[in-house]
Amino acid sequence: MTEMPTLSPESATDSWTVAGRTFKSRLIVGTGKYKDFAQNAAALEASGAEIVTVAVRRVNVSDSKAPMLTDFIDPKKTTYLPNTAGCFNADEAIRTLRLAREAGGWDLVKLEVLGEAKTLYPDMRETLKATEVLANEGFLPMVYCTDDPIAAKQLEDAGAVAVMPLGAPIGSGLGIQNRVTIRLIVEGANVPVLVDAGVGTASDAAVAMELGCEGVLMNTAIAEAKDPILMARAMKLSVEAGRSAYLAGRMQKRRYADPSSPLAGLI
């Protein structure tokens, strides 16, 4: 009987840490675009994610008279990551996260400051400004940014506890468009790097992990799939596979063929 292979010590104990908090799952999922909170909760369970992002300006977490996300996703079991989706300047984002801390006591937050509505690209000047203010006020900002190694390092210096470069425009599902700059950001960072935005399917998530990112965040790729629960499961597996491939160390690419078996000494 053939024995099943066992996990290496590295993969068996693999985890990541942000702002002193350690997680086993490297997948972060959102809480928007699902048909209801029940489906969102089911997708979260299938994904194995330990962190969910919550758009403070859109998702109900405090009005007990309306359906509440907390009734379906227990904040004692899952880490809530309040985000500033829909904010287009630093002041809006700072005010939104101050309200989130008042409502739920959250200090680990996701900052995004958008430049304009068509592309939803981050406004890096306003993002940097907000990062500095929030860090000085004791927040622990994980920051959505362009896939620019210089901007990522500036955010880190300003107090970002993680940098989250986009793979492609938010909600586009185009996958990672520039592997070179993502890899450069990973190589230069002293804080976790997570791909945020643009993932469309499982192979995109695997690529993010193969590039050495600590994790990947997605929402639309799961919520708008024909079967969100099955896609959540696929994303879980792809993140794990991509991480294992990164740890294993891929073979070198070659310009020409190299036979798997020696050609010398053939019968």
Side-chain angles (χ1 to χ4, degrees):
M1 181 177 178
T2 303
E3 293 184 1
M4 293 294 291
T6 57
L7 291 172
S8 68
E10 292 82 4
S11 59
T13 60
D14 189 41
S15 61
W16 69 287
T17 300
V18 58
R21 306 172 196 198
T22 301
F23 302 94
K24 294 181 179 178
S25 173
R26 294 175 179 273
L27 176 60
I28 300 175
V29 298
T31 52
K33 300 187 177 181
Y34 292 92
K35 70 176 184 179
D36 53 37
F37 287 150
Q39 185 187 65
N40 194 167
L44 170 64
E45 183 176 1
S47 75
E50 298 168 285
I51 305 175
V52 293
T53 60
V54 181
V56 178
R57 304 181 76 184
R58 297 173 182 162
V59 175
N60 178 32
V61 293
S62 60
D63 182 4
S64 60
K65 296 180 181 179
M68 295 180 65
L69 180 64
T70 51
D71 292 334
F72 295 84
I73 299 176
D74 188 349
K76 294 180 180 179
K77 297 179 180 178
T78 301
T79 297
Y80 274 46
L81 187 65
N83 73 29
T84 57
C87 292
F88 288 86
N89 59 61
D91 291 340
E92 283 183 353
I94 293 165
R95 183 167 60 251
T96 297
L97 292 176
R98 285 170 178 165
L99 290 172
R101 184 157 63 180
E102 287 294 322
W106 294 294
D107 56 359
L108 183 64
V109 295
K110 185 198 165 193
L111 172 66
E112 57 183 75
V113 184
L114 306 176
E116 44 86 35
K118 182 178 180 180
T119 64
L120 299 181
Y121 255 58
D123 180 327
M124 292 311 301
R125 182 171 61 180
E126 290 293 291
T127 298
L128 184 60
K129 174 183 174 183
T131 300
E132 292 174 338
V133 171
L134 292 167
N136 287 334
E137 292 185 4
F139 284 94
L140 304 167
M142 300 173 66
V143 186
Y144 170 64
C145 61
T146 55
D147 57 340
D148 177 349
I150 304 305
K153 181 55 68 174
Q154 289 172 340
L155 289 173
E156 182 181 329
D157 292 342
V161 298
V163 292
M164 308 178 74
L166 54 83
I170 291 173
S172 68
L174 291 172
I176 296 175
Q177 295 297 295
N178 198 333
R179 301 184 186 189
V180 173
T181 53
I182 297 293
R183 184 63 187 163
L184 288 173
I185 291 172
V186 170
E187 290 177 354
N190 294 309
V191 297
V193 177
L194 300 92
V195 163
D196 177 13
V199 169
T201 191
S203 57
D204 301 329
V207 167
M209 302 311 299
E210 289 170 7
L211 291 172
C213 293
E214 293 285 359
V216 58
L217 188 155
M218 66 188 69
N219 183 71
T220 307
I222 296 176
E224 289 192 357
K226 292 181 179 179
D227 186 335
I229 313 306
L230 185 58
M231 184 60 81
R233 168 71 173 164
M235 292 300 187
K236 175 181 186 292
L237 296 173
S238 65
V239 167
E240 292 174 354
R243 177 63 178 175
S244 293
Y246 173 73
L247 292 176
R250 68 157 290 147
M251 62 170 282
Q252 293 297 312
K253 294 182 179 180
R254 302 183 178 95
R255 294 182 63 187
Y256 304 103
D258 184 37
S260 298
S261 301
L263 296 179
L266 296 179
I267 296 174

